[in-house]
Amino acid sequence: MKISVICVCWNAAKTIRSTIESFLAQDYGDKELLIVDGVSTDGTLDIVRSFNSPLIKLHSGKDKGIYDAMNKGLKLYTGDAVGFLNADDIYHSPKTLSFIAEGLAHAPVVFGNIDFVDSHLNRQLQRQWQPLPFKAGAFKKGWMAPHPTTYALRAVYDKVGGFDTAYRISGDYDWMIRVFEIHKYPSQHIPHILADMQLGGMSTSGFKASWVNLKETSRARRKWLGSWLIDQAMVNKVWIRARRMALG
């Protein structure tokens, strides 16, 4: 099984080297890394090209935002399965893709755990996200899987489609509702930490990002699940975020 990894980036020179190195360090051999760049001007393209690896494919061109770029990647990958790795994230260990391949042998969609770190240099743990296995109706209660650890067979994307570009930071959440709740694809939780996410990215950059996320995820639930404007999922998310702030 060939696994494709799509990395969307724009001016990611400070972090993308670590991202690429973590991909190349994977002990799983049948893989490709597709880098979809938004015409970076900070040296990102030079860093990508410096690896000179046949496992890396680079596409650079203007896009209309992150989900437009991700959709471009979905038109270009060549694997039997695909997932996304952010340009400021890394795989937790060299066995991540092997864990994913093993899971995909049993279910068309897999997801695992993720560590949030302050930096990939010292990898100091700030918090962990260990999602429970999915159960029908879980999105109405606030469940979702970490998108950087979610991989699916090609047939899933062919059926469900790509990402809704109307969202700023929650297009992956909308996509997962369609996969898990609407199309009801079987899934498997991989009980391993698959990726390290560096805090400070677009979806973890403070109150403004949290507010946008709350509004957009609520909109997706109303659209697909018929939820109310204020529902159990929103209340649970607000409670979790408030608790994190209180704990520092």
Side-chain angles (χ1 to χ4, degrees):
M1 177 190 296
K2 183 177 182 179
I3 299 178
S4 297
V5 180
I6 299 173
C7 176
V8 170
C9 65
W10 180 71
N11 286 350
K14 293 181 179 179
T15 57
I16 199 167
R17 184 179 299 277
S18 296
T19 302
I20 295 173
E21 288 174 347
S22 77
F23 167 82
L24 294 175
Q26 293 300 298
D27 63 11
Y28 189 80
D30 199 1
K31 62 192 175 186
E32 71 172 356
L33 177 62
L34 177 60
I35 296 179
V36 182
D37 174 78
V39 192
S40 292
T41 58
D42 68 341
T44 295
L45 296 175
D46 291 334
I47 293 172
V48 174
R49 294 184 179 118
S50 72
F51 284 90
N52 193 29
S53 170
L55 297 174
I56 301 174
K57 298 178 181 179
L58 172 63
H59 173 84
S60 185
K62 292 183 178 180
D63 58 62
K64 298 177 183 178
I66 185 170
Y67 294 115
D68 179 50
M70 291 165 71
N71 285 337
K72 287 183 179 181
L74 290 176
K75 295 178 181 178
L76 296 169
Y77 81 96
T78 63
D80 305 297
V82 63
F84 291 83
L85 185 67
N86 299 321
D88 54 357
D89 298 342
I90 65 173
Y91 287 121
H92 185 74
S93 81
K95 295 189 69 64
T96 292
L97 289 184
S98 292
F99 290 141
I100 289 168
E102 182 180 352
L104 288 170
H106 302 283
V109 182
V110 299
F111 56 92
N113 305 337
I114 195 167
D115 275 358
F116 292 90
V117 299
D118 63 346
S119 166
H120 293 316
L121 296 177
N122 58 34
R123 300 180 76 172
Q124 184 174 344
L125 180 66
Q126 298 299 309
R127 65 177 186 269
Q128 292 181 321
W129 184 355
Q130 299 181 18
L132 296 172
F134 172 75
K135 293 183 179 180
F139 277 87
K140 286 188 174 183
K141 300 176 182 178
W143 184 93
M144 72 172 293
H147 190 244
T149 72
T150 302
Y151 283 69
L153 296 180
R154 176 181 286 272
V156 175
Y157 275 95
D158 288 346
K159 180 69 174 180
V160 177
F163 301 93
D164 187 339
T165 58
Y167 293 95
R168 289 177 55 192
I169 62 175
S170 301
D172 48 341
Y173 180 86
D174 174 275
W175 179 85
M176 281 190 274
I177 288 181
R178 286 182 274 143
V179 170
F180 289 93
E181 299 280 19
I182 305 304
H183 291 275
K184 303 184 187 305
Y185 276 102
S187 63
Q188 183 174 98
H189 172 242
I190 299 172
H192 298 285
I193 301 166
L194 300 184
D196 293 347
M197 175 179 281
Q198 184 168 281
L199 292 173
M202 188 167 67
S203 63
T204 61
S205 55
F207 176 80
K208 184 177 180 180
S210 295
W211 176 241
V212 173
N213 177 267
L214 283 174
K215 291 195 299 181
E216 290 192 340
T217 54
S218 173
R219 188 172 84 201
R221 289 191 302 276
R222 297 198 309 274
K223 176 180 179 180
W224 295 110
L225 306 177
S227 297
W228 294 95
L229 178 61
I230 299 177
D231 59 0
Q232 183 179 352
M234 177 177 283
V235 172
N236 288 346
K237 285 177 179 290
V238 170
W239 166 248
I240 290 171
R241 292 177 189 276
R243 186 178 180 187
R244 284 177 186 163
M245 293 177 64
L247 294 175

